């Protein structure tokens, strides 16, 4: 977009990191970040019929908190468990023009709440993974009205993977079940995402 202006921002951030090994084989790290950003010419991606279009918002104030958790547990010589989690609270509102209906509204396609959780259990025969992503309500336009509201949703998936060496060739097999609760949701308004589905794949490294 030739008319797109670069962002300018004043940012304030305060962070905390906590790391512990409560007992042998277990490592836990927790981080927390709180921030406030005052952004002029904020670049926001908005989907059109065929592509995502980038546009500027005159002034946007963003207040938020990011939390992350990373844990690794070496259960024994054959089994280990890795867990990753994240949560974001983001209040990103349009402060461009007090006379407009969009003033003090959440900017398009930006959820106030987002969280992610993944777990991977490593085992001798195969590995099993679980993933969950949650998106809070979003709005497709600058006006936060019901007609432009996208409902919150959570998507869950499970994956089985197996890695092995065959004649010095590394082979990885994977089978995944996605959207296991068959949740009906839209990432882009009027474009529903697939329901429960599965996929198998094979990767070969020579």
């Amino acid at each position: 977009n030739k008319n797109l202006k670069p962002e300018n921002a004043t940012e304030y951030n305060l962070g905390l990191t906590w790391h512990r090994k409560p007992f042998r084989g277990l490592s836990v790290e927790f981080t927390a970040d709180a921030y406030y950003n005052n952004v002029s010419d904020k670049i926001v991606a908005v989907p059109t019929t065929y592509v995502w279009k980038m546009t500027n918002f005159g002034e946007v104030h963003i207040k938020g908190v990011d939390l992350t958790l990373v844990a690794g547990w070496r259960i024994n010589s054959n089994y280990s468990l890795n867990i990753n989690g994240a949560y974001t609270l983001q209040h990103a509102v349009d402060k461009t023009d007090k006379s407009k209906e969009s003033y003090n509204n959440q900017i398009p396609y930006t959820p106030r709440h987002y969280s992610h959780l993944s777990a991977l259990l490593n085992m001798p025969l195969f590995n099993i993974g679980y993933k969950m992503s949650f998106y809070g309500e979003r709005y497709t336009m600058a006006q936060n009205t019901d007609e432009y509201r996208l409902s919150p949703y959570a998507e869950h998936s499970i994956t089985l993977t197996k890695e092995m060496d065959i004649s010095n060739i590394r082979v990885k097999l994977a089978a995944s079940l996605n959207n296991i609760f068959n949740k009906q949701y839209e990432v882009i308004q009027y474009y529903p995402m697939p329901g429960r589905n599965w996929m198998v794949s094979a990767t070969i490294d020579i």
Side-chain angles (χ1 to χ4, degrees), residues 72-95:
W73 182 20
R74 187 70 179 177
I75 302 171
N76 56 40
S77 59
N78 294 319
Y79 294 84
S80 64
L81 177 65
N82 297 303
I83 295 175
N84 289 273
Y87 169 75
T88 294
L89 169 63
Q90 186 177 89
H91 186 67
V93 296
D94 182 10
K95 293 286 188 177

PDB file of all heavy atoms in Angstrom, residues 72-95:
ATOM      1  N   GLY A  72       9.317 -28.160  31.843  1.00  0.00           N
ATOM      2  CA  GLY A  72       9.851 -29.403  31.309  1.00  0.00           C
ATOM      3  C   GLY A  72      10.083 -30.393  32.435  1.00  0.00           C
ATOM      4  O   GLY A  72      10.662 -30.046  33.467  1.00  0.00           O
ATOM      5  N   TRP A  73       9.604 -31.613  32.250  1.00  0.00           N
ATOM      6  CA  TRP A  73       9.730 -32.632  33.304  1.00  0.00           C
ATOM      7  C   TRP A  73      10.320 -33.902  32.695  1.00  0.00           C
ATOM      8  O   TRP A  73       9.702 -34.548  31.851  1.00  0.00           O
ATOM      9  CB  TRP A  73       8.362 -32.923  33.906  1.00  0.00           C
ATOM     10  CG  TRP A  73       8.406 -33.933  35.024  1.00  0.00           C
ATOM     11  CD1 TRP A  73       9.488 -34.298  35.768  1.00  0.00           C
ATOM     12  CD2 TRP A  73       7.305 -34.692  35.527  1.00  0.00           C
ATOM     13  NE1 TRP A  73       9.146 -35.238  36.706  1.00  0.00           N
ATOM     14  CE2 TRP A  73       7.805 -35.500  36.582  1.00  0.00           C
ATOM     15  CE3 TRP A  73       5.957 -34.771  35.204  1.00  0.00           C
ATOM     16  CZ2 TRP A  73       6.989 -36.376  37.288  1.00  0.00           C
ATOM     17  CZ3 TRP A  73       5.148 -35.636  35.910  1.00  0.00           C
ATOM     18  CH2 TRP A  73       5.659 -36.423  36.948  1.00  0.00           C
ATOM     19  N   ARG A  74      11.534 -34.219  33.122  1.00  0.00           N
ATOM     20  CA  ARG A  74      12.176 -35.465  32.713  1.00  0.00           C
ATOM     21  C   ARG A  74      11.722 -36.539  33.680  1.00  0.00           C
ATOM     22  O   ARG A  74      12.276 -36.702  34.787  1.00  0.00           O
ATOM     23  CB  ARG A  74      13.697 -35.304  32.753  1.00  0.00           C
ATOM     24  CG  ARG A  74      14.464 -36.490  32.185  1.00  0.00           C
ATOM     25  CD  ARG A  74      14.290 -36.588  30.693  1.00  0.00           C
ATOM     26  NE  ARG A  74      15.047 -37.702  30.121  1.00  0.00           N
ATOM     27  CZ  ARG A  74      15.022 -38.027  28.842  1.00  0.00           C
ATOM     28  NH1 ARG A  74      14.306 -37.316  27.992  1.00  0.00           N
ATOM     29  NH2 ARG A  74      15.719 -39.052  28.407  1.00  0.00           N
ATOM     30  N   ILE A  75      10.691 -37.295  33.292  1.00  0.00           N
ATOM     31  CA  ILE A  75      10.070 -38.246  34.199  1.00  0.00           C
ATOM     32  C   ILE A  75      11.031 -39.386  34.520  1.00  0.00           C
ATOM     33  O   ILE A  75      11.224 -39.756  35.682  1.00  0.00           O
ATOM     34  CB  ILE A  75       8.762 -38.785  33.596  1.00  0.00           C
ATOM     35  CG1 ILE A  75       7.814 -37.611  33.300  1.00  0.00           C
ATOM     36  CG2 ILE A  75       8.104 -39.792  34.535  1.00  0.00           C
ATOM     37  CD1 ILE A  75       6.596 -37.994  32.507  1.00  0.00           C
ATOM     38  N   ASN A  76      11.625 -39.961  33.481  1.00  0.00           N
ATOM     39  CA  ASN A  76      12.674 -40.970  33.637  1.00  0.00           C
ATOM     40  C   ASN A  76      13.464 -40.991  32.332  1.00  0.00           C
ATOM     41  O   ASN A  76      13.313 -40.103  31.492  1.00  0.00           O
ATOM     42  CB  ASN A  76      12.102 -42.348  34.007  1.00  0.00           C
ATOM     43  CG  ASN A  76      11.063 -42.839  33.015  1.00  0.00           C
ATOM     44  OD1 ASN A  76      11.219 -42.659  31.816  1.00  0.00           O
ATOM     45  ND2 ASN A  76      10.003 -43.461  33.517  1.00  0.00           N
ATOM     46  N   SER A  77      14.278 -42.012  32.132  1.00  0.00           N
ATOM     47  CA  SER A  77      15.136 -42.043  30.951  1.00  0.00           C
ATOM     48  C   SER A  77      14.356 -42.200  29.645  1.00  0.00           C
ATOM     49  O   SER A  77      14.872 -41.904  28.566  1.00  0.00           O
ATOM     50  CB  SER A  77      16.161 -43.181  31.072  1.00  0.00           C
ATOM     51  OG  SER A  77      15.504 -44.434  31.215  1.00  0.00           O
ATOM     52  N   ASN A  78      13.119 -42.665  29.736  1.00  0.00           N
ATOM     53  CA  ASN A  78      12.332 -42.904  28.523  1.00  0.00           C
ATOM     54  C   ASN A  78      11.184 -41.931  28.304  1.00  0.00           C
ATOM     55  O   ASN A  78      10.659 -41.843  27.182  1.00  0.00           O
ATOM     56  CB  ASN A  78      11.750 -44.328  28.549  1.00  0.00           C
ATOM     57  CG  ASN A  78      12.829 -45.388  28.459  1.00  0.00           C
ATOM     58  OD1 ASN A  78      13.782 -45.261  27.700  1.00  0.00           O
ATOM     59  ND2 ASN A  78      12.679 -46.444  29.263  1.00  0.00           N
ATOM     60  N   TYR A  79      10.776 -41.223  29.330  1.00  0.00           N
ATOM     61  CA  TYR A  79       9.596 -40.368  29.233  1.00  0.00           C
ATOM     62  C   TYR A  79       9.924 -38.943  29.683  1.00  0.00           C
ATOM     63  O   TYR A  79      10.623 -38.737  30.688  1.00  0.00           O
ATOM     64  CB  TYR A  79       8.451 -40.909  30.094  1.00  0.00           C
ATOM     65  CG  TYR A  79       7.905 -42.238  29.626  1.00  0.00           C
ATOM     66  CD1 TYR A  79       8.520 -43.436  29.996  1.00  0.00           C
ATOM     67  CD2 TYR A  79       6.773 -42.295  28.818  1.00  0.00           C
ATOM     68  CE1 TYR A  79       8.021 -44.658  29.565  1.00  0.00           C
ATOM     69  CE2 TYR A  79       6.266 -43.522  28.386  1.00  0.00           C
ATOM     70  CZ  TYR A  79       6.894 -44.687  28.758  1.00  0.00           C
ATOM     71  OH  TYR A  79       6.397 -45.896  28.328  1.00  0.00           O
ATOM     72  N   SER A  80       9.387 -37.969  28.943  1.00  0.00           N
ATOM     73  CA  SER A  80       9.520 -36.571  29.338  1.00  0.00           C
ATOM     74  C   SER A  80       8.280 -35.806  28.894  1.00  0.00           C
ATOM     75  O   SER A  80       7.598 -36.185  27.931  1.00  0.00           O
ATOM     76  CB  SER A  80      10.773 -35.929  28.741  1.00  0.00           C
ATOM     77  OG  SER A  80      10.704 -35.894  27.326  1.00  0.00           O
ATOM     78  N   LEU A  81       7.984 -34.732  29.596  1.00  0.00           N
ATOM     79  CA  LEU A  81       6.789 -33.930  29.322  1.00  0.00           C
ATOM     80  C   LEU A  81       7.180 -32.466  29.220  1.00  0.00           C
ATOM     81  O   LEU A  81       7.874 -31.933  30.098  1.00  0.00           O
ATOM     82  CB  LEU A  81       5.762 -34.124  30.444  1.00  0.00           C
ATOM     83  CG  LEU A  81       4.476 -33.290  30.359  1.00  0.00           C
ATOM     84  CD1 LEU A  81       3.660 -33.691  29.128  1.00  0.00           C
ATOM     85  CD2 LEU A  81       3.655 -33.459  31.642  1.00  0.00           C
ATOM     86  N   ASN A  82       6.754 -31.814  28.143  1.00  0.00           N
ATOM     87  CA  ASN A  82       6.999 -30.382  27.955  1.00  0.00           C
ATOM     88  C   ASN A  82       5.665 -29.658  27.838  1.00  0.00           C
ATOM     89  O   ASN A  82       4.782 -30.090  27.079  1.00  0.00           O
ATOM     90  CB  ASN A  82       7.828 -30.133  26.693  1.00  0.00           C
ATOM     91  CG  ASN A  82       9.207 -30.746  26.782  1.00  0.00           C
ATOM     92  OD1 ASN A  82       9.971 -30.454  27.684  1.00  0.00           O
ATOM     93  ND2 ASN A  82       9.527 -31.626  25.840  1.00  0.00           N
ATOM     94  N   ILE A  83       5.535 -28.564  28.574  1.00  0.00           N
ATOM     95  CA  ILE A  83       4.298 -27.785  28.583  1.00  0.00           C
ATOM     96  C   ILE A  83       4.633 -26.318  28.303  1.00  0.00           C
ATOM     97  O   ILE A  83       5.565 -25.762  28.894  1.00  0.00           O
ATOM     98  CB  ILE A  83       3.559 -27.911  29.926  1.00  0.00           C
ATOM     99  CG1 ILE A  83       3.101 -29.358  30.142  1.00  0.00           C
ATOM    100  CG2 ILE A  83       2.364 -26.975  29.977  1.00  0.00           C
ATOM    101  CD1 ILE A  83       2.469 -29.592  31.500  1.00  0.00           C
ATOM    102  N   ASN A  84       3.864 -25.702  27.404  1.00  0.00           N
ATOM    103  CA  ASN A  84       4.006 -24.281  27.109  1.00  0.00           C
ATOM    104  C   ASN A  84       2.623 -23.633  27.172  1.00  0.00           C
ATOM    105  O   ASN A  84       1.668 -24.147  26.569  1.00  0.00           O
ATOM    106  CB  ASN A  84       4.598 -24.061  25.715  1.00  0.00           C
ATOM    107  CG  ASN A  84       6.059 -24.444  25.632  1.00  0.00           C
ATOM    108  OD1 ASN A  84       6.937 -23.640  25.915  1.00  0.00           O
ATOM    109  ND2 ASN A  84       6.328 -25.691  25.256  1.00  0.00           N
ATOM    110  N   GLY A  85       2.531 -22.538  27.883  1.00  0.00           N
ATOM    111  CA  GLY A  85       1.259 -21.823  27.973  1.00  0.00           C
ATOM    112  C   GLY A  85       1.471 -20.327  27.873  1.00  0.00           C
ATOM    113  O   GLY A  85       2.536 -19.814  28.243  1.00  0.00           O
ATOM    114  N   ALA A  86       0.479 -19.633  27.352  1.00  0.00           N
ATOM    115  CA  ALA A  86       0.565 -18.180  27.228  1.00  0.00           C
ATOM    116  C   ALA A  86      -0.830 -17.578  27.331  1.00  0.00           C
ATOM    117  O   ALA A  86      -1.818 -18.191  26.908  1.00  0.00           O
ATOM    118  CB  ALA A  86       1.217 -17.783  25.905  1.00  0.00           C
ATOM    119  N   TYR A  87      -0.895 -16.387  27.900  1.00  0.00           N
ATOM    120  CA  TYR A  87      -2.151 -15.640  27.986  1.00  0.00           C
ATOM    121  C   TYR A  87      -1.862 -14.171  27.731  1.00  0.00           C
ATOM    122  O   TYR A  87      -0.883 -13.620  28.252  1.00  0.00           O
ATOM    123  CB  TYR A  87      -2.807 -15.804  29.356  1.00  0.00           C
ATOM    124  CG  TYR A  87      -3.958 -14.844  29.578  1.00  0.00           C
ATOM    125  CD1 TYR A  87      -5.184 -15.057  28.958  1.00  0.00           C
ATOM    126  CD2 TYR A  87      -3.802 -13.708  30.372  1.00  0.00           C
ATOM    127  CE1 TYR A  87      -6.238 -14.165  29.135  1.00  0.00           C
ATOM    128  CE2 TYR A  87      -4.848 -12.822  30.570  1.00  0.00           C
ATOM    129  CZ  TYR A  87      -6.067 -13.053  29.938  1.00  0.00           C
ATOM    130  OH  TYR A  87      -7.095 -12.167  30.100  1.00  0.00           O
ATOM    131  N   THR A  88      -2.708 -13.537  26.909  1.00  0.00           N
ATOM    132  CA  THR A  88      -2.566 -12.114  26.615  1.00  0.00           C
ATOM    133  C   THR A  88      -3.889 -11.411  26.868  1.00  0.00           C
ATOM    134  O   THR A  88      -4.937 -11.845  26.387  1.00  0.00           O
ATOM    135  CB  THR A  88      -2.143 -11.889  25.145  1.00  0.00           C
ATOM    136  OG1 THR A  88      -0.835 -12.411  24.945  1.00  0.00           O
ATOM    137  CG2 THR A  88      -2.126 -10.403  24.815  1.00  0.00           C
ATOM    138  N   LEU A  89      -3.816 -10.341  27.632  1.00  0.00           N
ATOM    139  CA  LEU A  89      -4.932  -9.412  27.799  1.00  0.00           C
ATOM    140  C   LEU A  89      -4.514  -8.111  27.142  1.00  0.00           C
ATOM    141  O   LEU A  89      -3.507  -7.513  27.555  1.00  0.00           O
ATOM    142  CB  LEU A  89      -5.246  -9.198  29.278  1.00  0.00           C
ATOM    143  CG  LEU A  89      -6.218  -8.055  29.605  1.00  0.00           C
ATOM    144  CD1 LEU A  89      -7.589  -8.316  28.991  1.00  0.00           C
ATOM    145  CD2 LEU A  89      -6.335  -7.859  31.111  1.00  0.00           C
ATOM    146  N   GLN A  90      -5.231  -7.695  26.105  1.00  0.00           N
ATOM    147  CA  GLN A  90      -4.821  -6.506  25.362  1.00  0.00           C
ATOM    148  C   GLN A  90      -6.023  -5.598  25.114  1.00  0.00           C
ATOM    149  O   GLN A  90      -6.979  -5.975  24.432  1.00  0.00           O
ATOM    150  CB  GLN A  90      -4.173  -6.900  24.032  1.00  0.00           C
ATOM    151  CG  GLN A  90      -3.581  -5.720  23.272  1.00  0.00           C
ATOM    152  CD  GLN A  90      -2.886  -6.153  21.998  1.00  0.00           C
ATOM    153  OE1 GLN A  90      -3.507  -6.237  20.948  1.00  0.00           O
ATOM    154  NE2 GLN A  90      -1.590  -6.444  22.100  1.00  0.00           N
ATOM    155  N   HIS A  91      -5.946  -4.395  25.664  1.00  0.00           N
ATOM    156  CA  HIS A  91      -6.966  -3.370  25.476  1.00  0.00           C
ATOM    157  C   HIS A  91      -6.397  -2.370  24.481  1.00  0.00           C
ATOM    158  O   HIS A  91      -5.625  -1.481  24.853  1.00  0.00           O
ATOM    159  CB  HIS A  91      -7.281  -2.725  26.827  1.00  0.00           C
ATOM    160  CG  HIS A  91      -8.414  -1.759  26.806  1.00  0.00           C
ATOM    161  ND1 HIS A  91      -9.712  -2.140  26.576  1.00  0.00           N
ATOM    162  CD2 HIS A  91      -8.446  -0.410  26.979  1.00  0.00           C
ATOM    163  CE1 HIS A  91     -10.502  -1.086  26.628  1.00  0.00           C
ATOM    164  NE2 HIS A  91      -9.762  -0.027  26.855  1.00  0.00           N
ATOM    165  N   ALA A  92      -6.735  -2.542  23.190  1.00  0.00           N
ATOM    166  CA  ALA A  92      -6.178  -1.717  22.117  1.00  0.00           C
ATOM    167  C   ALA A  92      -7.316  -0.908  21.506  1.00  0.00           C
ATOM    168  O   ALA A  92      -8.130  -1.450  20.739  1.00  0.00           O
ATOM    169  CB  ALA A  92      -5.506  -2.592  21.066  1.00  0.00           C
ATOM    170  N   VAL A  93      -7.390   0.371  21.847  1.00  0.00           N
ATOM    171  CA  VAL A  93      -8.558   1.166  21.464  1.00  0.00           C
ATOM    172  C   VAL A  93      -8.169   2.357  20.592  1.00  0.00           C
ATOM    173  O   VAL A  93      -7.069   2.907  20.688  1.00  0.00           O
ATOM    174  CB  VAL A  93      -9.319   1.653  22.715  1.00  0.00           C
ATOM    175  CG1 VAL A  93      -9.890   0.472  23.490  1.00  0.00           C
ATOM    176  CG2 VAL A  93      -8.416   2.487  23.616  1.00  0.00           C
ATOM    177  N   ASP A  94      -9.122   2.730  19.739  1.00  0.00           N
ATOM    178  CA  ASP A  94      -8.956   3.847  18.813  1.00  0.00           C
ATOM    179  C   ASP A  94      -9.173   5.167  19.556  1.00  0.00           C
ATOM    180  O   ASP A  94     -10.240   5.399  20.123  1.00  0.00           O
ATOM    181  CB  ASP A  94      -9.959   3.698  17.671  1.00  0.00           C
ATOM    182  CG  ASP A  94      -9.836   4.786  16.623  1.00  0.00           C
ATOM    183  OD1 ASP A  94      -8.850   5.555  16.682  1.00  0.00           O
ATOM    184  OD2 ASP A  94     -10.719   4.870  15.756  1.00  0.00           O
ATOM    185  N   LYS A  95      -8.162   6.027  19.541  1.00  0.00           N
ATOM    186  CA  LYS A  95      -8.245   7.334  20.208  1.00  0.00           C
ATOM    187  C   LYS A  95      -8.097   8.480  19.206  1.00  0.00           C
ATOM    188  O   LYS A  95      -7.727   9.593  19.571  1.00  0.00           O
ATOM    189  CB  LYS A  95      -7.144   7.443  21.274  1.00  0.00           C
ATOM    190  CG  LYS A  95      -7.309   6.498  22.460  1.00  0.00           C
ATOM    191  CD  LYS A  95      -8.409   6.961  23.392  1.00  0.00           C
ATOM    192  CE  LYS A  95      -8.457   6.142  24.663  1.00  0.00           C
ATOM    193  NZ  LYS A  95      -9.485   6.641  25.615  1.00  0.00           N
TER     194      LYS A  95
END
